[in-house]
Amino acid sequence: APAEPLEEKGQVAPYICQRRTPLLHHNTALTDALETMAEEARFCGSDVRSLAFSRAASVLKSLPWRVKRIQQLHTVPCVGEHSQRIIQEMLEDGMSAEVEQVRQSERYRTMKLFTKIFGVGVKIASQWYQRGLRTLADLQLHQIKLNLEQQAGLLHYEDLNTPVELWEAEAISQVVRKAVEQISPGATVTLTGGFRRGKPCGHDVDLLITHPSEGQEMGLLCRVISILDSQGFLLYHSTHRNSLPSLEDEELWVSDHSSTMDHFERCLSIFHLGDLAGSNQGGAGAQKLGASTGSGASSLWKAVRVDLVETPYSQFPFALLGWTGSRNFERDLRRFSKHEKKMTLNSHGLYHLEQKIFLPAASEEEIFQHLGLEYILPEERNA
Ligand code: GTP
Ligand code: MN
Ligand code: MN
């Protein structure tokens, strides 16, 4: 790390999207602690508090030096009082009693267990906790009603909580690409999400599908799903059939949800990734070997969460930017657009609220230009 810290010069920008945030940074112990606090706050339904811890963690990730004294943070934005207290504890004792207490608390551990089920959010997990449920077995014991998504989530709990590796993501992209090309030559499949930011593993695979001739993408996702299904690749899928609103529709830009909702046709799925041991066993009916050992290591196949999104070519750069993440980076990009530029940014486009015009873009670089921001590479968006 550079010997001369930047903090005295007050160079740390207030918005995440103005900063470069690499995947590997110098303050991992501190950010892990703050992220635990952010998660705990989220589990309590305190989104504002959660965001505050999350922002503090993000800013520490962007520092090109290791924090050694709390004074170094006095000119760094986004580190609130409570975060400072945690950081100080960590710097002095190498651990924070408050964070450790959270990690060991029954509520936190149970909420973590339940929210790791695909399809279970804080609200439902919290209800189960209130009812006295503590383990996955308790769900069956109490005959808890689960929707199809949650049933699939529980069934594949082990696999879906085993990190997806890059080669697995690439293998799945290739399977989807083959199906897409079979239907519509020229259509493209792009790996986005965490993998595009250079993460070596992730919790799912995010894929964008588009076609260079506008309109050709329509209905593509639906047909791809039916091919993949017939090939035995899908353990679960649920398609959100959205009708793309016209970009001329002001609602899309001025409503409260204008920057968080998106209207693409999308599919949440669980893939059956076969042949992990290089065997030639078939897709659909394959028996899972060694599933009961819990490790999954001896299994010949693996369940993997995949998000598929279909986007018109003209909106592709916005969709790419929106789906590359990280969530913290996206949130601040939209906040910056709104508050600093009077623009609404979402995964469909960029709209100037006062001039009432669209700002089209052929690349992510152009979107950053419209916003007057320096271009930040995907690898630098790991906030
Ligand atoms: P891992 O999957 O854990 O590796 O991290 P990730 O960054 O890929 O997270 P995730 O797959 O949850 O999301 C990827 C990106 O897609 C994030 O930046 C999200 O903001 C974005 N995203 C996820 N769901 C939606 C959605 O419904 N609408 C929009 N517009 N973006 C979404
Ligand atoms: Mn992802
Ligand atoms: Mn995803």
Side-chain angles (χ1 to χ4, degrees):
E4 175 67 12
L6 298 168
E7 79 273 23
E8 322 291 0
K9 300 168 197 159
Q11 285 183 4
V12 182
Y15 287 94
I16 289 170
C17 57
Q18 298 169 308
R19 309 194 289 252
R20 297 174 199 280
T21 314
L23 185 59
L24 299 174
H25 59 88
H26 307 274
N27 295 291
T28 314
L30 299 179
T31 58
D32 284 352
L34 293 170
E35 282 175 342
T36 297
M37 295 303 289
E39 192 175 36
E40 161 70 2
R42 201 169 58 83
F43 288 164
C44 296
S46 315
D47 291 345
V48 175
R49 229 159 46 82
S50 177
L51 202 55
F53 284 123
S54 196
R55 288 222 170 96
S58 283
V59 80
L60 296 192
K61 290 180 189 177
S62 75
L63 300 177
W65 39 275
R66 191 158 73 87
V67 177
K68 293 187 186 117
R69 293 171 299 116
I70 195 76
Q71 291 80 2
Q72 292 176 296
L73 295 176
H74 284 168
T75 55
V76 171
C78 313
V79 187
E81 242 177 84
H82 199 163
S83 294
Q84 287 194 30
R85 262 197 338 263
I86 304 272
I87 293 167
Q88 186 145 22
E89 266 190 292
M90 295 286 296
L91 293 175
E92 281 169 8
D93 311 332
M95 56 98 85
S96 153
E98 191 175 0
V99 173
E100 288 314 310
Q101 201 183 336
V102 165
R103 284 185 183 146
Q104 273 149 39
S105 80
E106 189 175 30
R107 186 184 151 87
Y108 175 81
R109 292 162 76 121
T110 310
M111 288 296 288
K112 194 134 177 122
L113 180 80
F114 289 157
T115 53
K116 275 161 62 182
I117 304 173
F118 172 49
V120 176
V122 167
K123 222 173 129 186
I124 292 167
S126 196
Q127 282 167 11
W128 292 346
Y129 184 79
Q130 301 295 328
R131 289 182 56 175
L133 312 190
R134 294 294 181 267
T135 65
L136 298 182
D138 284 348
L139 298 174
Q140 270 138 3
L141 223 60
H142 288 71
Q143 299 178 321
I144 298 293
K145 275 215 180 72
L146 301 174
N147 64 29
L148 290 174
E149 192 174 76
Q150 295 158 349
Q151 283 172 32
L154 195 55
L155 189 62
H156 303 294
Y157 190 86
E158 291 277 348
D159 276 4
L160 298 187
N161 286 293
T162 305
V164 182
E165 289 174 44
L166 181 59
W167 74 267
E168 295 172 321
E170 275 166 352
I172 288 172
S173 308
Q174 207 44 43
V175 165
V176 175
R177 201 163 284 130
K178 253 173 119 176
V180 164
E181 279 164 1
Q182 193 179 327
I183 301 165
S184 181
T188 62
V189 175
T190 306
L191 179 59
T192 161
F195 290 110
R196 186 159 179 262
R197 302 197 307 274
K199 281 175 63 177
C201 53
H203 100 283
D204 69 354
V205 181
D206 304 288
L207 296 172
L208 289 184
I209 302 173
T210 190
H211 194 291
S213 21
E214 189 93 0
Q216 284 290 305
E217 81 290 345
M218 272 176 16
L220 197 51
L221 179 57
C222 208
R223 295 170 67 195
V224 169
I225 295 298
S226 89
I227 288 192
L228 293 171
D229 201 18
S230 71
Q231 292 173 335
F233 281 112
L234 298 180
L235 295 163
Y236 169 87
H237 64 99
S238 128
T239 306
H240 297 245
R241 304 219 49 191
N242 279 317
S243 49
L244 258 188
S246 158
L247 295 188
E248 311 294 326
D249 182 357
E250 262 228 312
E251 242 338 76
L252 188 59
W253 308 104
V254 301
S255 81
D256 288 347
H257 308 291
S258 57
S259 60
T260 47
M261 281 282 285
D262 81 44
H263 304 268
F264 296 121
E265 183 103 359
R266 72 182 270 205
C267 178
L268 304 182
S269 71
I270 300 175
F271 259 62
H272 176 290
L273 182 59
D275 272 25
L276 293 188
S279 76
N280 274 328
Q281 62 163 355
Q287 283 300 303
K288 183 143 201 164
L289 304 177
S292 58
T293 64
S295 74
S298 55
S299 302
L300 294 176
W301 64 274
K302 181 182 179 185
V304 177
R305 272 272 300 112
V306 180
D307 285 337
L308 297 160
V309 184
E310 167 189 301
T311 147
Y313 201 65
S314 62
Q315 299 175 19
F316 182 76
F318 296 97
L320 185 61
L321 180 58
W323 280 82
T324 298
S326 69
R327 275 174 198 280
N328 284 336
F329 189 88
E330 300 298 330
R331 192 187 301 107
D332 262 24
L333 201 50
R334 288 160 193 209
R335 203 165 59 97
F336 177 86
S337 306
K338 187 174 174 204
H339 295 293
E340 304 298 324
K341 300 289 162 178
K342 306 274 181 285
M343 295 181 194
T344 300
L345 172 69
N346 58 32
S347 296
H348 300 282
L350 181 63
Y351 181 76
H352 199 298
L353 290 160
E354 283 171 355
Q355 297 172 12
K356 296 188 188 287
I357 51 164
F358 301 105
L359 298 154
S363 63
E364 285 182 319
E365 283 88 340
E366 280 186 39
I367 305 173
F368 282 85
Q369 269 171 27
H370 285 318
L371 293 169
L373 287 169
E374 259 181 64
Y375 182 61
I376 308 287
L377 290 167
E379 295 78 8
E380 302 168 327
R381 298 179 204 163
N382 286 293

